[in-house]
Amino acid sequence: MTFTLTSTDLADGGTLPDAQVQAKGNTSPQLAWSGAPEGTKSFAITCFDPDAPTGSGFWHWTVANIPAEVSEIPTGGPLPDGAVEGRTDFGEPGFGGAAPPPGHGPHRYVFTVFAVDVDQLPVTPEDSGAKYGFNLHFHTLATASITATYENPGKD
């Protein structure tokens, strides 16, 4: 079985809906996954913009310690008990919608679900996306992603 990610809010290769844009809705999308590999003990979710003009991308959402029996997150949450959201590059935990600089061109927003081989990653709401990513690097069994784009057409 293949590990897959689907969404009623996002289309892979499509345009990010206004609901997931910071200035228009700032709502986390519905995500559902199936086909997790044997040995999965929890799940994690990230949303990352590799096109941000930072030299290191931009973390829009980090979630870890989603229990293994969970296979869906509804639009806007809530997250299941035990799940922890990390600090985004906006500076606070939780979902931070798309907000590319005006006129910078289209940005990709990569939503990824990770099948994780431990029940709990050692992360907190104060931890950065880099720390979530570091821990996921050593504990990921499989990933599934949806990528959508968004462009702020305004001028600098």
Side-chain angles (χ1 to χ4, degrees):
M1 186 179 250
T2 303
F3 190 42
T4 58
L5 176 61
T6 60
S7 177
T8 57
D9 295 326
L10 308 172
D12 192 40
T15 300
L16 198 66
D18 284 351
Q20 281 72 56
V21 174
Q22 188 181 47
K24 298 180 179 183
N26 206 39
T27 303
S28 60
Q30 182 272 348
L31 299 172
W33 51 91
S34 61
E38 188 173 330
T40 299
K41 295 184 178 176
S42 67
F43 296 98
I45 299 169
T46 63
C47 176
F48 183 71
D49 171 3
D51 303 310
T54 63
S56 61
F58 198 96
W59 294 98
H60 286 266
W61 198 24
T62 55
V63 184
N65 305 337
I66 298 169
E69 64 272 9
V70 173
S71 61
E72 180 176 1
I73 302 295
T75 303
L79 294 173
D81 288 343
V84 59
E85 290 180 294
R87 179 176 45 82
T88 70
D89 284 336
F90 290 112
E92 304 208 355
F95 178 79
H104 194 253
H107 283 221
R108 292 168 290 163
Y109 296 87
V110 183
F111 291 83
T112 302
V113 173
F114 298 77
V116 180
D117 68 359
V118 294
D119 293 328
Q120 301 268 318
L121 292 174
V123 293
T124 71
E126 292 80 30
D127 290 333
S128 68
K131 185 167 181 185
Y132 276 68
F134 177 83
N135 282 280
L136 285 167
H137 176 80
F138 295 102
H139 294 287
T140 297
L141 298 171
T143 62
S145 297
I146 293 173
T147 302
T149 60
Y150 179 75
E151 179 175 3
N152 184 346
K155 298 197 181 350
D156 287 336

